[in-house]
């Protein structure tokens, strides 16, 4: 066991603060990683503030962070996938049972015994719970450590590990591509990645935002059209015309107004996880054979596929790089939808703690 530096929350109402946490020494198939950058996902904030108490009750102290990129510093004797010096990445998952049908199909994200990067019971007993990426190092089973294409900017690559795969996966599942009209709701971390992917897949992309000031950026990021969703007339113009809509909103909002924009058999997939249940009008579904789905990050094979796609198409997140000392301020800005379009923590800033 060794000590790592981290930023941790002591309770749902306390700020994140400097802390020391235990990490296990690499076992047979483990990779030890020096963390260089870690993205800030809105899920980090939901969890650290215990906003999902019935689904994923927070355990403290809590070290968030699941958009991790870094360099391998040590490997266990049985490691075959990675070697010291490699640039690697870790997302939301650090272990699973490898035996259930979902794991066997490459959907570790739906394993009944999965270990999340933070807030899961630590199978190795190093700590009561797993600790995430707001830290200078992490030790992870090699099967959950991904390769990053060498030429990608590392800070911009970090958010691919959650915002990237969470939007890539449903767009692929619903076959988004040429000839389709696709909506992306909410231009934050997930939304801006969804916009880039939907554009790269060849769809006609419409971004829905509550922030009129994001219009120009949305076009630069890949949108063909931008709709300010609080403008009812603008919304009406798109009634019954979308093949697919990806909803990334983190707070309570009216999904029925988006369902009404779907054409016959259209689908709206929710990836946003607002703490309170959303109200659903059955008529918005009945009139048009429409459906609503959910999507949860993605499995390890698809996460590697997404990273390789990003390498081939030069796709990274637009990041605002911050020192870890600004993490509490970044959380407040997330709540005001004031992020362009993902915060990435430069972990070198932890050295001064
Ligand atoms: P984010 O960067 O804060 O972006 C959320 C965006 O939603 C905001 O930028 C804003 O966009 C819009 N929004 C915020 N409050 C709103 C409101 N009251 N009404 C309408 N729109 C509002 O968050 P994120 O990191 O992208 O995460 C988004 C959600 O996805 C979170 O709930 C997170 O927990 C969840 N998530 C789910 C998965 C999964 O596997 N399903 C994975 C990661 C994250 P505009 O300014 O453009 O309106
Ligand atoms: Zn996330």
């Amino acid at each position: 066991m060794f000590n790592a530096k981290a930023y941790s929350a002591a309770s749902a109402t306390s700020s994140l603060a400097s802390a020391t946490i235990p990490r296990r020494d690499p076992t047979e198939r483990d990779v030890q990683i020096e963390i260089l950058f870690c993205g800030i996902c809105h899920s980090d904030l939901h969890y650290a503030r215990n906003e999902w108490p019935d689904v994923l009750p927070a355990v403290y102290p809590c070290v968030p962070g699941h958009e991790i990129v870094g360099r391998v510093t040590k490997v266990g004797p049985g490691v075959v996938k990675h070697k010291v010096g490699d640039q690697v990445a870790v997302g939301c998952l650090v272990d699973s049972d490898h035996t259930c049908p979902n794991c066997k199909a490459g959907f570790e994200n739906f394993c009944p015994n999965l270990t999340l990067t933070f807030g899961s019971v630590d199978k190795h007993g190093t700590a009561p719970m797993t600790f995430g990426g707001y830290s200078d190092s992490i030790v992870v089973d090699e099967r959950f450590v991904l390769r990053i294409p060498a030429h990608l900017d590392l800070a911009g690559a970090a958010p691919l590990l959650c915002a990237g795969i969470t939007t890539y996966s449903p767009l692929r599942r619903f076959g988004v591509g040429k000839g389709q009209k696709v909506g992306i709701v909410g231009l934050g971390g997930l939304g801006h990645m969804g916009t880039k992917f939907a554009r790269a897949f060849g769809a006609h992309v419409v971004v829905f935002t509550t922030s009129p000031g994001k219009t120009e950026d949305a076009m630069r990021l890949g949108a063909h059209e931008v709709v300010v969703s609080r403008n009812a007339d603008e919304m009406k113009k798109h009634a019954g015309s979308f093949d697919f809509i990806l909803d990334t909103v983190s707070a309570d909002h009216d999904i029925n107004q988006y369902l009404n924009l779907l054409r016959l058999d259209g689908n709206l997939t929710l990836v946003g996880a607002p703490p309170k249940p959303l109200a659903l009008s059955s008529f918005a579904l009945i009139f048009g054979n429409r459906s609503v789905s959910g999507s949860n990050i993605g499995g390890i094979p698809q996460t590697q596929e997404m990273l390789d796609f990003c390498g081939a198409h030069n796709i990274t997140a637009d990041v605002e790089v911050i020192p870890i000392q600004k993490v509490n301020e970044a959380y407040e800005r997330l709540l005001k939808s004031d992020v362009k379009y993902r915060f990435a923590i430069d972990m070198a800033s932890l050295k001064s703690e």
Side-chain angles (χ1 to χ4, degrees):
M1 210 164 80
F2 66 98
N3 284 334
K5 287 184 174 182
Y7 255 52
S8 135
S11 76
T13 52
S14 52
S15 301
L16 291 155
S18 182
T20 300
I21 54 164
R23 297 285 195 195
R24 68 180 181 274
D25 292 313
T27 62
E28 183 71 13
R29 295 192 71 171
D30 278 340
V31 173
Q32 185 172 326
I33 300 163
E34 178 196 0
I35 300 177
L36 298 174
F37 295 97
C38 184
I40 298 182
C41 177
H42 207 116
S43 302
D44 294 346
L45 185 158
H46 287 311
Y47 183 89
R49 298 189 177 179
N50 201 20
E51 290 179 355
W52 298 324
D54 302 329
V55 187
L56 212 58
V59 178
Y60 300 97
C62 138
V63 176
H66 54 251
E67 293 184 335
I68 298 168
V69 295
R71 197 177 295 118
V72 176
T73 52
K74 227 181 201 183
V75 293
V79 168
V80 291
K81 264 180 73 185
H82 307 284
K83 57 180 191 317
V84 171
D86 284 358
Q87 270 185 189
V88 291
V90 176
C92 302
L93 314 173
V94 290
D95 209 350
S96 66
D97 63 21
H98 305 288
T99 55
C100 74
N102 294 342
C103 280
K104 286 188 175 154
F107 297 119
E108 300 86 349
N109 49 325
F110 297 114
C111 172
N113 300 303
L114 66 81
T115 308
L116 294 170
T117 306
F118 63 83
S120 276
V121 172
D122 178 8
K123 275 192 200 166
H124 300 265
T126 316
M129 306 299 278
T130 51
F131 292 127
Y134 298 2
S135 173
D136 59 5
S137 60
I138 192 164
V139 177
V140 179
D141 184 303
E142 66 165 333
R143 287 167 284 190
F144 291 83
V145 177
L146 296 129
R147 296 180 306 277
I148 309 175
H151 61 284
L152 291 185
D153 169 61
L154 272 191
L160 300 177
L161 277 299
C162 179
I165 183 61
T166 302
T167 51
Y168 181 94
S169 186
L171 291 170
R172 284 299 197 211
R173 175 174 158 213
F174 285 92
V176 161
K178 222 173 159 45
Q180 289 188 336
K181 185 172 171 185
V182 170
I184 305 289
V185 186
L187 197 67
L190 267 58
H192 96 289
M193 287 312 308
T195 303
K196 291 188 184 204
F197 286 134
R199 179 69 185 244
F201 297 165
H204 180 85
V205 184
V206 182
V207 164
F208 294 94
T209 180
T210 58
S211 310
K214 292 182 182 174
T215 303
E216 253 177 56
D217 282 348
M219 300 296 283
R220 177 180 55 78
L221 292 164
H224 295 91
E225 296 178 64
V226 181
V227 175
V228 176
S229 51
R230 291 192 171 128
N231 182 329
D233 290 337
E234 271 194 64
M235 292 290 281
K236 251 190 228 150
K237 281 188 212 153
H238 292 271
S241 67
F242 281 85
D243 297 279
F244 180 76
I245 296 178
L246 187 66
D247 183 330
T248 75
V249 174
S250 53
D252 193 26
H253 62 292
D254 177 15
I255 60 165
N256 303 301
Q257 63 168 344
Y258 295 104
L259 291 172
N260 287 325
L261 304 188
L262 291 171
R263 64 161 179 72
L264 187 66
D265 286 326
N267 173 273
L268 179 145
T269 291
L270 290 166
V271 285
K276 276 204 223 134
L278 298 167
L280 178 66
S281 151
S282 40
F283 290 107
L285 295 178
I286 291 170
F287 295 150
N289 268 5
R290 297 158 175 150
S291 61
V292 180
S293 305
S295 191
N296 178 34
I297 43 172
I300 294 298
Q302 195 178 40
T303 305
Q304 190 61 61
E305 173 194 308
M306 177 273 310
L307 287 169
D308 295 342
F309 180 89
C310 289
H313 297 263
N314 257 314
I315 294 175
T316 52
D318 283 33
V319 285
E320 193 174 325
V321 178
I322 57 161
I324 194 138
Q325 292 78 9
K326 291 224 162 138
V327 67
N328 294 303
E329 200 180 300
Y331 274 24
E332 293 313 309
R333 285 183 53 195
L334 266 191
L335 288 173
K336 291 186 218 146
S337 303
D338 175 24
V339 50
K340 292 189 171 165
Y341 278 85
R342 196 58 140 186
F343 293 110
I345 306 168
D346 181 352
M347 227 41 87
S349 58
L350 249 188
K351 292 199 167 84
S352 62
E353 291 286 336

